[in-house]
Amino acid sequence: EAGVAQSPRYKIIEKRQSVAFWCNPISGHATLYWYQQILGQGPKLLIQFQNNGVVDDSQLPKDRFSAERLKGVDSTLKIQPAKLEDSAVYLCASSSTGIGYTFGSGTRLTVV
Amino acid sequence: DAKTTQPTSMDCAEGRAANLPCNHSTISGNEYVYWYRQIHSQGPQYIIHGLKNNETNEMASLIITEDRKSSTLILPHATLRDTAVYYCIVRVYGTGGNTPLVFGKGTRLSVIA
């Protein structure tokens, strides 16, 4: 089966600019997650979707981060405006009940 | 916060067994032990999971103590490609939906030729 697709693979932006990341989960997976992974740390959950509804966004910095999952399939994560501390790898994962997680390869964001 | 404790790093000689320990002393009765690994520049990859019985698959074996307060992931014949960060995670596994994986810092395993 095809894996979780993410794009772009790398992105460099200046602070205060905006950026968007895209994720296409595995077909049929109802649950989609966005994680942030800062260098040297484990991934940290930002938001969890069940179909097109938000299940948990308690760790999403909502003043600058937003995410949506239209039609319960693809998802986008946006940062506006970006700060230096947002430099990280942004990972998307999908799962379905009874099936484990599958992660994408991530988008590496560098804010300069 | 992560509910597991793992050593920060370990080395293993190529071809030897790699034994990665994990403490999860506060594990609940309905929580499973999951292991994932993350190779450089890739997303985490599922390895194995178990509740209380030992488990084995094509990648690894999982040994869980009888009191379930700790476990060991065993890679029977480590290769250079097994160099990665290994995460031990406890997670409720039920039919009511998907609970998220909560990652700690993991163990950085270096397999040495």
Side-chain angles (χ1 to χ4, degrees):
Chain A
E1 66 180 357
V4 175
Q6 290 190 246
S7 67
R9 191 77 172 89
Y10 303 93
K11 190 74 176 179
I12 300 174
I13 61 172
E14 296 182 349
K15 59 184 178 183
R16 292 187 290 274
Q17 285 187 324
S18 62
V19 64
F21 313 127
W22 173 82
C23 173
N24 179 232
I26 290 176
S27 178
H29 279 194
T31 310
L32 185 147
Y33 312 82
W34 283 100
Y35 283 81
Q36 179 193 57
Q37 186 172 24
I38 293 173
L39 186 65
Q41 300 181 17
K44 181 185 104 173
L45 179 70
L46 291 177
I47 189 167
Q48 176 184 350
F49 291 94
Q50 184 73 17
N51 296 309
N52 61 347
V54 175
V55 174
D56 181 2
D57 64 356
S58 58
Q59 298 195 77
L60 187 73
K62 298 182 188 62
D63 58 333
R64 299 183 300 106
F65 286 64
S66 65
E68 61 182 7
R69 190 183 184 196
L70 299 176
K71 302 180 182 178
V73 182
D74 292 5
S75 178
T76 56
L77 176 69
K78 297 179 181 178
I79 307 175
Q80 181 180 17
K83 293 185 175 181
L84 295 177
E85 59 260 36
D86 298 331
S87 293
V89 175
Y90 291 85
L91 293 160
C92 179
S94 69
S95 70
S96 187
T97 301
I99 300 172
Y101 274 50
T102 301
F103 282 85
S105 295
T107 296
R108 181 177 297 277
L109 173 67
T110 302
V111 182
V112 298
Chain B
D1 291 343
K3 298 172 65 174
T4 62
T5 304
Q6 299 178 252
T8 302
S9 64
M10 294 181 63
D11 292 338
C12 178
E14 188 178 22
R16 304 297 291 266
N19 296 281
L20 290 87
C22 179
N23 284 318
H24 31 79
S25 58
T26 61
I27 192 169
S28 300
N30 63 346
E31 287 181 317
Y32 283 65
V33 179
Y34 284 77
W35 283 84
Y36 280 73
R37 74 178 182 183
Q38 189 172 23
I39 294 170
H40 183 62
S41 296
Q42 296 182 23
Q45 173 193 26
Y46 167 82
I47 301 173
I48 199 167
H49 75 282
L51 182 63
K52 56 183 178 180
N53 298 321
N54 297 339
E55 302 288 343
T56 296
N57 63 20
E58 65 277 4
M59 291 182 68
S61 295
L62 174 60
I63 308 297
I64 303 174
T65 58
E66 192 170 342
D67 63 7
R68 302 210 321 124
K69 293 184 177 182
S70 65
S71 61
T72 301
L73 178 75
I74 301 173
L75 308 178
H77 304 286
T79 71
L80 299 178
R81 285 177 291 185
D82 292 322
T83 292
V85 178
Y86 287 78
Y87 296 99
C88 170
I89 301 167
V90 295
R91 175 191 183 219
V92 174
Y93 183 85
T95 57
N98 291 284
T99 54
L101 294 169
V102 178
F103 290 82
K105 292 188 176 181
T107 296
R108 181 172 299 278
L109 176 69
S110 298
V111 180
I112 303 167

